């Protein structure tokens, strides 16, 4: 026991200061919000749209990227003859409305998530209990959600905790494409959560089906079964992206940065 105490004292404070302090350093290979320099795109070139495995890029009179479908792979980057596509370091991706994930690359603007209404913010702002539902996921999004419970992130300091029973929860955090086999289970879990409740879809699968999009065995995301209040894209989203989205939903981000 003495050795454990001494080791802990030597390690010191290990929980990051974010959001009061700077965000944690991101890895060199981090892929944030993708961007296309439309001015570099040759007329009639649709190479990036054609190689995208989930049809996340559409090119008509506008060049659009659907972040809900994007797998953050490098197929489009590698295929672009003009090197017009890149990944930024912007980790802020969470939105409240599904349509807000479709970004016009000429404008490069994104409507980030807003806080819950006053009533729900008062109920959940200081204590939010979530039941996590893996609806057929590969465990990548689930793993990054679990990272938030480690000492470095300490999600519980914001009053956010995961619970075992939906009857003890304020809402659901859903990962995976919602397979046909999980459809009824998800619906029953949602019904078991007492009102009022919120639903958070984490990852490309939970938003639009991910790499399995339009497969007959999946529902192309959570909002085909239950209403969704927050969308956090990525494949998988970085823990910082997930945390930032949760804090925005609860109205804690601006509060923390201005306190």
């Amino acid at each position: 026991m003495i050795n454990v105490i001494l080791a802990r004292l030597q390690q010191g404070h290990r929980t990051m200061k974010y959001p009061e302090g700077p965000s944690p350093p991101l890895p060199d290979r981090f892929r944030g919000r993708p961007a296309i320099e439309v001015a570099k795109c040759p007329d009639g070139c649709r190479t990036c749209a054609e190689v995208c495995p989930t049809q996340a890029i559409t090119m008509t009179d506008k060049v659009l990227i659907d972040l809900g479908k994007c797998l953050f792979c490098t197929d489009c980057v590698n295929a672009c003859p003009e090197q017009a596509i890149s990944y930024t370091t912007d980790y802020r991706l969470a939105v409240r409305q599904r349509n807000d994930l479709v970004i016009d690359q000429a404008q490069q603007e994104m409507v980030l998530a807003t806080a819950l209404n006053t009533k729900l913010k008062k109920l959940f702002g200081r204590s939010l209990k979530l039941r996590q539902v893996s609806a057929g996921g590969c465990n990548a999004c689930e793993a990054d959600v679990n990272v938030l419970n480690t000492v470095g992130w300490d999600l519980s300091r914001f009053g956010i905790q995961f619970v075992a029973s939906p009857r003890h929860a304020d809402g659901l955090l859903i990962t995976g494409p919602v397979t046909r086999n999980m459809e009824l289970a998800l619906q029953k879990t949602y019904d078991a959560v007492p009102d009022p409740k919120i639903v958070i879809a984490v990852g490309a699968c939970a938003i639009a089906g991910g790499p399995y999009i339009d497969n007959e065995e999946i529902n192309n995301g959570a909002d085909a079964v239950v209403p969704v209040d927050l969308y956090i894209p990525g494949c998988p989203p970085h823990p910082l992206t997930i945390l930032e989205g949760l804090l925005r939903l609860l109205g804690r981000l601006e509060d923390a940065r201005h306190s």
Side-chain angles (χ1 to χ4, degrees), residues 23-32 87-91 144 153 238-241:
S23 59
L26 296 168
D28 294 338
R29 294 189 296 175
F30 173 76
R31 298 173 193 162
Y87 285 97
T88 70
T89 57
D90 192 353
Y91 57 84
D144 276 0
W153 297 82
H238 191 277
L240 182 57
T241 299

Side-chain angles (χ1 to χ4, degrees), residues 28-42:
D28 294 338
R29 294 189 296 175
F30 173 76
R31 298 173 193 162
R33 182 160 67 93
I36 299 178
E37 295 183 61
V38 178
K40 288 185 177 181
C41 294

